Amino acid sequence: MQRVNRRTLMTAAGIAGLATVLPTGTAAAAPGRCGDHAWCDPGRSPDERAAMVLRELTLDEKISLLGGDDLAGAAGPGHTGTGHGVERLGIPPVYYGDGPVGSRQGSGTSMPSGVSLAASFDPELAKTYGATVANEVRCKGNDVVFGPTVDVLRVPTSGRAFEGFGEDPYLSSRIGVGWAAGAHSEGVMVCVKHFAAYTQEGVLGVVGSRMLYNAVVDERTLREIYLPPFEAAVREAGVGAVMGSYNRVGGQYACEHQWLLNDLLKHEWGFTGYTIADYAAMHSTGNSLANGMDFEPWPALVYSPAAIRTALATGQAATSDVDEHARRILRTMFSHGIFDRPAYPDDDSQIDKKAHLDTAGHVAEQGMTLLRNDGLLPLDPAALRGKTIAVIGEAAEKFVQGGGSSSTTPYSFASPLQGIQQRGAEAGITVVHEPGTTPGAAAEAARNADIAVVVVSDMMSEFLDKPNLDLDSGIAQFPPPALGNPLANQDAIIEAALDANVNTVVVLETGGPVATPWRYRTRALLEAWYPGANAGTAIARVLFGDVDPGGRLPLTFPDSDDDVPTAGDIARYPGKGLDVHFTEGVFVGYRHYDAREIEPAFPFGHGLSYTSFAYSDLRVSGEKVSVVVTNTGNRTGHAVPQLYLGLPSPRADVPQPPRQLKGFAKLTLDPGRSASVEFTLTDSALSYWDELAGGWTVAAGDYRVHVGESSRDIRGDGTFTVAAERRVR
């Protein structure tokens, strides 16, 4: 029997050790940029060093630290932003770089989307991902990376669904902590985003606009759903910066929110870094200064020297506020070693592009989620020798990615068509391509082939939510078809191929869930997400079984737009007036479907392997839950056992979802091999936010334990009882 090691066990206890590997301000062997001032001694604490510098700064110099350059400022074009230094005191400038899926400064290695990484259910892989992104950000001369995005998905059609880590706060926390640990290992400071309750872009970018909407959300929902990934990033990963979001929360803009920025983040969570506003997210100079916003990147309008001077002169803020913001920036620069090392050179030649491309392909493979398969996959190269595969669809030739601050320009790109053609050539298989601009052309190509592979995509982007779950409802459909948009109807293309050839595989390249009305007719359906620069290689390797599909759904695929948690209530989405009412509470994503007994198209956690797994010997003992997972098939494959808990409801006003994810493991098992997986039941896993008590509480009662392969595929059940309620923190 194989034992699960630390790498594969992903529970709250298992991941906590990641924080211990993060740098806390070690000096490089080469001389830094600080000079010979007293505060340049790395043997002093970051707090002591920051206090020493602060005493020497003039008010104007302190103010200058709070606002960044524009794109063509002192840093020159390319960096996402620049923080001013003070040369006379040895304070170096700070350079900022996007982003969540790769560097946007010139060209870079385009990594698979965030949701693809989340689908891997592998925080160790997230460390590799974060390190890869941060390495390129560093090699382009930046000190800080804007990422990861850990906003929990509330609205399935949200334009930035592809950028985050799905609909579950526990999964988002584990992936986010791993990402940050990897980035820190490269000597780059992490700025996690977007804080907080940032869940939509707006319909047509106007109704429910992210720039204006007010999240009307209760504290329990905030604490249990939307805040945990940020708390984990601060408490466990030790991130240096937190980016404020555009929207308002409870009537206050997030970038000038006293409770969020000061009371919660800095005081309750003990955050010692600094807050950064998203671009153009600030509104009031006085409120921002007084309520906890430390830094405004380009263009520094609200935190321009003139605006800050006016706020001080009119009593909207105090010089002590300016001191505190400057102190936090300086302290964080010291703690992350920015003073004590040379500037990072902007030099692409430092980047191992081949290794990073391989990493992108590996991440894509581990995130690819096999939604349906009746035996058509994996394709058998020997059986297909001398035969024909028709690759159908415009997306098969395109680099498909999300838009906005996560869009990248790849150094190189392998398309799905190229990957399948190369793999086919190695096996003596003829691969032809039909763009499939009409159903008739798609049908003819499928009919004349032994296997048809239809590749389709959606288009999601910052700035704009999709109007519905249809494949062709994203921004690629603007202007609408009536105005001459040439895009094909991809659902019709799929249907035509299915009519013509029963041996049809559908490959989705989407940023989130999409409608799949034809799914029961497919023999195989593979979700590849936005697979990054090495898309073709990864897709071909999964289709031909060179690697087992490693992904599990980090979000629910609804059967219908009418089934989503916000459906049928404009107050919930896109909002009534400027207010967006989070009245679904904690029933987000699969919690909603389970509580209402709605059958989704594909449930959270779902994903098939090319082998099969059996679960046995489930045990619940004290603070431990254990289960044995056995590969009962004839191929090596990935298993992702998932632990869900059903918490008792202490009162009628505290309803609990039937199941909540509280642990998972990523296993690779050879045929016939078993692994024993152990999950730890921490107080965090058992507690709920008690608004009456104002704290985290473990309720008395019976707790249900479910272990399985998805939120709906439960392979073992158990219970345990907590005799008395207890306050945990």
Side-chain angles (χ1 to χ4, degrees):
M1 176 181 293
Q2 290 175 288
R3 301 296 299 180
V4 180
N5 60 28
R6 185 176 62 85
R7 183 187 184 280
T8 56
L9 182 58
M10 301 306 166
T11 65
I15 201 70
L18 288 177
T20 64
V21 306
L22 304 184
T24 57
T26 57
R33 292 166 286 174
C34 189
D36 58 0
H37 306 283
W39 52 83
C40 298
D41 177 8
R44 299 178 185 270
S45 73
D47 287 300
E48 184 181 7
R49 298 172 76 181
M52 294 173 71
V53 180
L54 196 65
R55 287 193 292 268
E56 301 298 322
L57 287 166
T58 68
L59 180 59
D60 284 342
E61 288 169 337
K62 294 172 187 176
I63 289 173
S64 75
L65 292 176
L66 310 191
D69 279 324
D70 60 25
L71 276 181
H79 299 282
T80 307
T82 306
H84 296 287
V86 179
E87 186 175 356
R88 78 175 184 90
L89 298 177
I91 302 174
V94 177
Y95 299 127
Y96 298 86
D98 275 331
V101 301
S103 175
R104 299 179 64 236
Q105 188 171 322
S107 298
T109 301
S110 299
M111 297 292 285
S113 58
V115 72
S116 174
L117 175 63
S120 74
F121 274 67
D122 190 345
E124 284 294 319
L125 186 64
K127 288 175 68 176
T128 301
Y129 187 113
T132 303
V133 172
N135 176 266
E136 297 200 4
V137 167
R138 174 173 63 81
C139 289
K140 293 172 182 291
N142 297 291
D143 305 288
V144 182
V145 59
F146 287 147
T149 298
V150 298
D151 304 304
V152 172
L153 184 66
R154 175 178 183 254
V155 181
T157 53
S158 171
R160 296 182 92 160
F162 71 94
E163 192 176 313
F165 299 142
E167 69 189 25
D168 182 79
Y170 180 82
L171 176 62
S172 296
S173 298
R174 299 305 98 216
I175 299 297
V177 168
W179 198 109
H184 281 147
S185 73
E186 286 290 323
V188 173
M189 193 173 86
V190 168
C191 176
V192 68
K193 59 182 192 174
H194 309 82
F195 191 65
Y198 177 36
T199 61
Q200 64 191 61
E201 300 298 294
V203 178
L204 298 178
V206 178
V207 180
S209 168
R210 66 177 183 171
M211 306 300 292
L212 299 172
Y213 83 83
N214 176 40
V216 182
V217 54
D218 62 275
E219 187 173 355
R220 181 194 172 201
T221 299
L222 269 178
R223 295 270 192 173
E224 294 189 19
I225 302 296
Y226 300 105
L227 295 179
F230 293 96
E231 184 174 7
V234 168
R235 291 183 181 270
E236 298 180 45
V239 298
V242 174
M243 179 176 283
S245 58
Y246 291 106
N247 55 286
R248 292 175 292 168
V249 180
Q252 284 184 291
Y253 281 105
C255 288
E256 53 188 61
H257 202 292
Q258 167 67 26
W259 182 79
L260 281 174
L261 302 181
N262 282 335
D263 297 344
L264 179 73
L265 178 63
K266 295 179 179 179
H267 297 147
E268 182 179 327
W269 293 353
F271 177 59
T272 57
Y274 63 99
T275 54
I276 300 177
D278 206 340
Y279 290 77
M282 291 176 65
H283 296 265
S284 165
T285 304
N287 289 341
S288 298
L289 286 169
N291 294 343
M293 180 48 64
D294 298 312
F295 180 75
E296 180 185 25
W298 70 266
L301 300 177
V302 177
Y303 270 6
S304 69
I308 292 176
R309 281 286 190 182
T310 299
L312 296 178
T314 56
Q316 299 174 58
T319 55
S320 59
D321 296 318
V322 173
D323 285 353
E324 172 62 9
H325 301 314
R327 185 196 68 81
R328 282 186 167 272
I329 292 169
L330 292 167
R331 187 215 172 274
T332 307
M333 291 173 66
F334 280 121
S335 69
H336 284 261
I338 294 175
F339 278 86
D340 302 323
R341 57 165 171 77
Y344 292 141
D346 182 357
D347 180 7
D348 273 22
S349 68
Q350 304 172 91
I351 297 170
D352 189 339
K353 299 179 180 65
K354 173 61 168 61
H356 288 188
L357 186 66
D358 290 343
T359 296
H362 178 62
V363 172
E365 293 166 5
Q366 291 302 305
M368 283 191 199
T369 308
L370 186 59
L371 299 177
R372 182 174 170 83
N373 186 30
D374 73 351
L376 181 60
L377 294 183
L379 300 176
D380 185 344
L384 288 172
R385 179 173 293 276
K387 297 186 177 181
T388 300
I389 295 176
V391 179
I392 300 168
E394 295 174 282
E397 293 184 289
K398 294 182 177 180
F399 175 57
V400 178
Q401 66 172 334
S405 63
S406 284
S407 62
T408 57
T409 302
Y411 288 126
S412 62
F413 169 60
S415 72
L417 176 61
Q418 290 171 325
I420 296 170
Q421 284 176 331
Q422 180 176 338
R423 189 65 178 83
E426 294 170 358
I429 302 166
T430 299
V431 177
V432 299
H433 178 236
E434 166 52 54
T437 54
T438 68
E444 182 177 1
R447 188 178 300 111
N448 293 329
D450 299 283
I451 300 287
V453 179
V454 183
V455 183
V456 295
S457 66
D458 72 350
M459 180 58 205
M460 305 186 84
S461 180
E462 183 181 358
F463 312 117
L464 183 71
D465 292 340
K466 292 171 60 174
N468 54 56
L469 291 169
D470 291 351
L471 268 171
D472 296 317
S473 70
I475 68 168
Q477 281 295 88
F478 291 90
L483 299 182
N485 192 305
L487 288 176
N489 181 327
Q490 294 182 104
D491 285 319
I493 297 302
I494 293 170
E495 296 278 9
L498 290 169
D499 287 340
N501 189 337
V502 67
N503 294 319
T504 294
V505 181
V506 177
V507 177
L508 299 172
E509 290 186 300
T510 69
V514 292
T516 55
W518 29 259
R519 63 185 176 276
Y520 294 118
R521 299 183 60 205
T522 62
R523 291 197 61 195
L525 174 58
L526 178 68
E527 174 59 85
W529 312 106
Y530 296 155
N534 214 354
T537 304
I539 288 172
R541 279 172 50 80
V542 170
L543 290 177
F544 281 91
D546 301 323
V547 63
D548 199 50
R552 302 297 184 267
L553 288 181
L555 40 76
T556 304
F557 270 53
D559 182 53
S560 161
D561 285 277
D562 295 335
D563 292 340
V564 305
T566 55
D569 188 345
I570 62 170
R572 287 186 179 179
Y573 178 80
K576 194 170 184 179
L578 297 178
D579 290 340
V580 175
H581 296 265
F582 288 48
T583 50
E584 73 281 357
V586 300
F587 293 89
V588 176
Y590 66 91
R591 293 165 169 79
H592 159 80
Y593 296 92
D594 291 349
R596 298 204 173 191
E597 299 183 338
I598 298 171
E599 189 69 25
F602 300 104
F604 176 89
H606 170 72
L608 303 176
S609 168
Y610 290 148
T611 188
S612 56
F613 300 98
Y615 289 66
S616 61
D617 200 21
L618 176 68
R619 298 183 181 182
V620 182
S621 177
E623 296 180 348
K624 305 292 183 181
V625 174
S626 63
V627 68
V628 175
V629 182
T630 303
N631 183 341
T632 56
N634 57 9
R635 298 174 60 98
T636 298
H638 304 298
V640 183
Q642 300 157 38
L643 169 69
Y644 297 87
L645 295 183
L647 276 58
S649 175
R651 302 187 302 271
D653 64 337
V654 187
Q656 291 287 7
R659 287 175 288 281
Q660 301 180 53
L661 183 72
K662 297 297 182 179
F664 57 87
K666 184 69 175 281
L667 311 175
T668 302
L669 295 175
D670 295 330
R673 300 305 298 270
S674 298
S676 179
V677 181
E678 186 176 85
F679 302 100
T680 300
L681 299 175
T682 64
D683 281 343
S684 177
L686 305 183
S687 61
Y688 73 98
W689 181 259
D690 187 344
E691 292 193 329
L692 295 181
W696 293 99
T697 301
V698 175
D702 294 330
Y703 288 71
R704 302 176 303 281
V705 176
H706 312 281
V707 176
E709 298 218 310
S710 79
S711 58
R712 292 294 179 95
D713 185 3
I714 302 302
R715 303 296 185 88
D717 298 278
T719 60
F720 64 93
T721 301
V722 172
E725 177 181 291
R726 67 177 187 272
R727 175 82 173 269
V728 295
R729 58 185 172 96

